[in-house]
Structures are given as structure tokens and as C-alpha cells.
Amino acid sequence: MIFLVKIMGVVGSPRKEGNTNYLVKEALKAASNLGVETELINLGDIEIEPCIACDICKSTGECAIFDDVPSLLGKLVDSQGVIMGSPVYFGNVTSQLKMLIDRSRPLRMDFKLKNKIGGAISVGGSRNGGQETTISSIHQFMLIHDMIIVGDGAPLAHYGGTGVGSTINSAAGDEVGLETSRNLGQNVAELALQISKK
Ligand SMILES: Cc1cc2nc3c(=O)[nH]c(=O)nc-3n(C[C@H](O)[C@H](O)[C@H](O)COP(=O)(O)O)c2cc1C
């Protein structure tokens, strides 16, 4: 039986064709060049409610809110790597992505994301507008799920994909954002392939 390695891209922007979408797609293209399967979900396309702290997930391992999140969580469980991107909003992730992060708690009950490979991408309107703090929030989510975090690797080797752009698709002209996002996608795929070798 052929086992396909899958990398999920999650875009935390409400803008479906925005800069984060552009850079996460670039990362997924670099990943798929290594032979992995990829899928992209825009949080702007799906219905997400906030966690209401009902704690039902603590006893059942399932979320009691029936919107689009449980199906997205299932896709994360079925993949070997996750590339999560967010625009910088006040130095942090968007509220859409934070809602998904909080709603991922059911997966932590028995660590369903353990040892999956994770990488982060962030785009701000300014070069130093909070990309690293935003990436750090995504990394915290990944660490708390016991995932394995990778950065963008050599030659730049920092936190992940860091882009600059304001108007739709202006990040397409940002060489640093493109290079770091592509390198991140390649790194996530490389390690996911290595770890999945039987
Ligand atoms: C509510 C809000 C807050 C923002 N805060 C920041 C910020 O703190 N730093 C920054 O560099 N850009 C900030 N921006 C600009 C966005 O990060 C930037 O336009 C980004 O390209 C949007 O990504 P998207 O096209 O994927 O939605 C903010 C934008 C909005 C709407």
C-alpha cells in the first residue's frame, strides 16, 4: 500500500486571496515539489465559533460545537505536517486563528497532533510589524500540542515565513517573504517525509 505524506496549510486571514494565502500557497508548492500531498484551508471560507469553555472535550475528546472546526481538526489529524499562517494583527494572530487554536483543545486530550511537523508564516504591513511575535504564538500552539517545530532553515534560518504586504497580494513582490516561506515549506515536507519512512 502506498502511504502518502500530507501537509495541511491553514490561512488565518479573513481575506481569502490575501498575502497570507499567497505565502502559504508558496510554501505548499515548495512542499509538493518533494512529492507530498497538500491541502489549503482558508479560515475566511469556513464557519468558526469561539470556544465556550464547556469542557465537554475533557470527558469526550470531542468538541460540542457543530460548525466547520471538527472537520478541519480531522484533516489536521490525518496529515503529517501543518503550515499555519496568519497576518499580524496588533503583533499577534488574527481572532479567526485564535478561535481555531482554542477549539483544537479536543485533540490535546490524547495528543493527536504529537510529532506532526509544524511551521509558521506571518505577514505584516510593516517589515518589523510583529511577524516574529505572531509566529511565536503559532509556535506556542504547536508546542502545547507536542508537535515538532521547524523554521525556514539555511541560508536564512530563522523563525519561518516572514512577509511584508498591505494591499492584496503585495507580498508577492516581497523576496524575503517568498524565500522564507518556500524554504519553510520544503523543511516541513522534508522532515515529514523522513519521520514517516517505514
Ligand atoms: C486589525 C488589523 C491589525 C493589524 N496590525 C498590524 C500590526 O500590528 N503590524 C503590522 O505590521 N501590520 C498589521 N496589520 C496589517 C496586516 O498584517 C497586513 O495588511 C497583512 O498583509 C494582511 O494579511 P492578509 O492579506 O493575509 O489578510 C493589521 C491589519 C489589520 C486589519
Side-chain angles (χ1 to χ4, degrees), residues 13-15 18-21 87-91 123-126 129-130 165-166:
S13 172
R15 301 205 289 199
N19 294 309
T20 313
N21 176 279
V88 182
Y89 277 12
F90 287 91
V123 194
S126 305
S166 289

Side-chain angles (χ1 to χ4, degrees), residues 18 38 43-44 59-60 72 76 87 93 125 129 131 147 149 154 167 172-173 192-193:
T38 63
L43 298 190
S59 51
T60 66
L72 172 50
L76 297 181
V93 297
Q131 287 85 341
M147 294 173 67
I149 296 170
T167 51
L193 283 162

Side-chain angles (χ1 to χ4, degrees), residues 79-126:
S79 53
Q80 288 66 50
V82 178
I83 295 173
M84 196 169 256
S86 180
V88 182
Y89 277 12
F90 287 91
N92 217 314
V93 297
T94 60
S95 46
Q96 286 83 356
L97 185 56
K98 185 63 169 76
M99 282 194 281
L100 174 66
I101 287 173
D102 294 346
R103 292 283 305 284
S104 72
R105 190 184 189 210
L107 302 185
R108 196 174 178 275
M109 294 307 142
D110 52 0
F111 289 98
K112 289 198 170 75
L113 299 183
K114 181 181 171 67
N115 287 346
K116 295 191 187 293
I117 314 302
I121 292 177
S122 180
V123 194
S126 305

Side-chain angles (χ1 to χ4, degrees), residues 45-68:
D45 281 334
I46 68 170
E47 193 196 327
I48 313 183
E49 297 293 328
C51 172
I52 53 167
C54 66
D55 276 352
I56 288 175
C57 62
K58 284 176 93 172
S59 51
T60 66
E62 305 282 340
C63 185
I65 301 173
F66 297 103
D67 54 9
D68 292 327

